[in-house]
C-alpha cells in the first residue's frame, strides 16, 4: 500500500455518521480540501483509511459554501455516498457554521442543510438527485438469493425486489423475518461479481417492523467491505422504492442500521409531496485521533 509522505499528506478528518457515538454508525474519511489531489492519490488515501468511503472536497471558487466532491471506497470510486456526505457536511459546519451547503457530486448537485440543536449537536439533511426504480431480472434475482443463501420463501411478498437509484444503484430485498435479516453470511466473491455486472453499489436488505420503521443491512463487496454499517445513499434509494411500491407521497421513515454489527445507527428518510427527491437526515460525530 502506498503511503503519503508527511509533507504531501492532506488533512484527513475521521467522522462517524448517523450516530452521536464514535463507536456507532458508519465511519467515513473527510478530506476538507483535496485541491491538487489526483485520482490515484485519493484512492490511496481511501485504501489506507480502510473505511467504506472517504469524501474528497474541493471548494468551488467564487461560490460560497459550495464544494466539488468525489467519493472513494478502498477499492474504487463510487458515484455517491450518503454517510460520507453527512460526515463532510457536519465537519464543514463545525468550521464555517451551520446552514446550507451545496455538494457538486459525480451524479449531480446535492444540497445539504446542517442545523444545530439546543445543545449544539449538528445534524445534516441531504437532498438526493431525482431517483428511479426498475425491475430486476428473474435470473439476476435468483443469483442474488443464491449468493446470500436466501430462499425465495424468505422474502416479504408485499415488498417485491427492485433496483432503486437515488445517486447510486441498490438492489432492494425485503426479508420476511427479522431473524433472516440478522443471519447474514454471504458468498463475497459471488455477490461482488453479480453487483459489478449490474452496476450496484450495495444490496439494501430490509425488514419491515411497521409502516414507518425498518431495519436494514447493506453488503458492499464491490467496495471491498463485507457490510456498510449505515448507508445514506441506499436509504435515499429505499425511500424512492417505498414510494413507488406503496404510493406513499409524504412522510418520514425511520431506518435502524448497524445493530447486527454492534455499530447502531439511525437514519431518517423524508418524502415530500410534489418533490420526487428524497431527503436523508443524520447526525455525525468526530472520531478521536
Amino acid at each position: 500500500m502506498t503511503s503519503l509522505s508527511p509533507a504531501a499528506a492532506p488533512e484527513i478528518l475521521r467522522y462517524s455518521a448517523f450516530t452521536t457515538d464514535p463507536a456507532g454508525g458508519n465511519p467515513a474519511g473527510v478530506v476538507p480540501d483535496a485541491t491538487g489531489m489526483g485520482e490515484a492519490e485519493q484512492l490511496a488515501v481511501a485504501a489506507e483509511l480502510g473505511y467504506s468511503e472517504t469524501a474528497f472536497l474541493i471548494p468551488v471558487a467564487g461560490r460560497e459554501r459550495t464544494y466539488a466532491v468525489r467519493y472513494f471506497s478502498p477499492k474504487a470510486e463510487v458515484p455517491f455516498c450518503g454517510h460520507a456526505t453527512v460526515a463532510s457536511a457536519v465537519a464543514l459546519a463545525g468550521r464555517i457554521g451551520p446552514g446550507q451547503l451545496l455538494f457538486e457530486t459525480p451524479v449531480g448537485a446535492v444540497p445539504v442543510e446542517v442545523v444545530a440543536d439546543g445543545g449544539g449537536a449538528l445534524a445534516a439533511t441531504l437532498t438526493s438527485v431525482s431517483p428511479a426504480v426498475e425491475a430486476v431480472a428473474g435470473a439476476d434475482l435468483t443469483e442474488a438469493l443464491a449468493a446470500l443463501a436466501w430462499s425465495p420463501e424468505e422474502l416479504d411478498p408485499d415488498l417485491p425486489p427492485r433496483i432503486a437509484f437515488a445517486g447510486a444503484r441498490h438492489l432492494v430485498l425485503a426479508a420476511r423475518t427479522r431473524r433472516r435479516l440478522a443471519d447474514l453470511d454471504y458468498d463475497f466473491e459471488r455477490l461482488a461479481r453479480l453487483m459489478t455486472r449490474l452496476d450496484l453499489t450495495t444490496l439494501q436488505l430490509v425488514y419491515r417492523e411497521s409502516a414507518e420503521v425498518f431495519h436494514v443491512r447493506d453488503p458492499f463487496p464491490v467496495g471491498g467491505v463485507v457490510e456498510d454499517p449505515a448507508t445514506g445513499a441506499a436509504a435515499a434509494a429505499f425511500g424512492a422504492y417505498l414510494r413507488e411500491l406503496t404510493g406513499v407521497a409524504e412522510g418520514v421513515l425511520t431506518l435502524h442500521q448497524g445493530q447486527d454489527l454492534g455499530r447502531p445507527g439511525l437514519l431518517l428518510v423524508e418524502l415530500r409531496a410534489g418533490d420526487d427527491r428524497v431527503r436523508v437526515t443524520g447526525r455525525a460525530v468526530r472520531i478521536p485521533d
Side-chain angles (χ1 to χ4, degrees):
M1 182 181 298
T2 301
S3 297
L4 300 174
S5 68
E11 180 184 20
I12 302 171
L13 307 177
R14 297 164 175 81
Y15 274 75
S16 196
F18 299 112
T19 183
T20 57
D21 180 358
N26 196 356
V30 178
V31 177
D33 190 349
T35 302
M37 293 182 69
E39 181 175 324
E41 189 177 2
Q42 293 178 26
L43 181 58
V45 168
E48 191 161 344
L49 277 176
Y51 295 151
S52 56
E53 274 98 6
T54 296
F56 297 84
L57 286 67
I58 298 177
V60 177
R63 297 173 60 189
E64 188 177 359
R65 301 175 71 93
T66 300
Y67 299 81
V69 188
R70 295 177 73 177
Y71 308 92
F72 285 83
S73 79
K75 292 182 66 174
E77 185 171 12
V78 296
F80 178 67
C81 173
H83 86 276
T85 295
V86 167
S88 298
V90 169
L92 289 172
R95 297 183 171 193
I96 64 177
Q100 295 286 344
L101 298 162
L102 184 64
F103 286 176
E104 294 184 341
T105 78
V107 297
V110 175
V112 188
E113 181 179 13
V114 184
V115 298
D117 65 18
L122 298 171
T125 298
L126 67 87
T127 299
S128 78
V129 297
S130 291
V133 180
E134 64 185 69
V136 55
D140 293 332
L141 174 60
T142 297
E143 179 63 12
L145 293 176
L148 291 169
W150 286 20
S151 71
E153 293 73 28
E154 291 177 305
L155 296 176
D156 184 339
D158 295 326
L159 295 174
R162 294 287 189 274
I163 293 174
F165 167 89
R169 287 164 54 86
H170 307 267
L171 173 58
V172 181
L173 298 175
R176 187 187 289 267
T177 66
R178 180 69 179 90
R179 178 178 293 181
R180 172 67 280 179
L181 184 68
D183 184 16
L184 182 62
D185 183 16
Y186 69 92
D187 187 325
F188 188 93
E189 296 299 335
R190 186 173 184 177
L191 189 59
R193 287 193 297 271
L194 173 68
M195 293 173 67
T196 298
R197 181 166 60 79
L198 297 180
D199 190 28
L200 301 174
T201 298
T202 74
L203 264 60
Q204 175 81 331
L205 307 179
V206 309
Y207 167 71
R208 178 170 53 181
E209 179 179 304
S210 70
E212 293 84 25
V213 179
F214 295 82
H215 297 265
V216 302
R217 303 186 72 173
D218 281 75
F220 186 33
V222 293
V225 177
V226 172
E227 184 175 352
D228 212 16
T231 319
F238 180 67
Y241 161 92
L242 205 63
R243 178 165 50 200
E244 177 86 8
L245 267 291
T246 67
V248 174
E250 59 185 347
V252 177
L253 310 172
T254 299
L255 274 56
H256 296 282
Q257 190 172 354
Q259 292 176 325
D260 298 303
L261 291 173
R263 298 193 63 95
L266 183 66
L267 302 85
L268 300 179
V269 177
E270 183 184 1
L271 305 176
R272 295 185 183 179
D275 187 350
D276 70 337
R277 300 174 302 172
V278 181
R279 290 162 175 81
V280 179
T281 298
R283 299 186 182 278
V285 62
R286 182 82 178 263
I287 299 172
D289 294 332

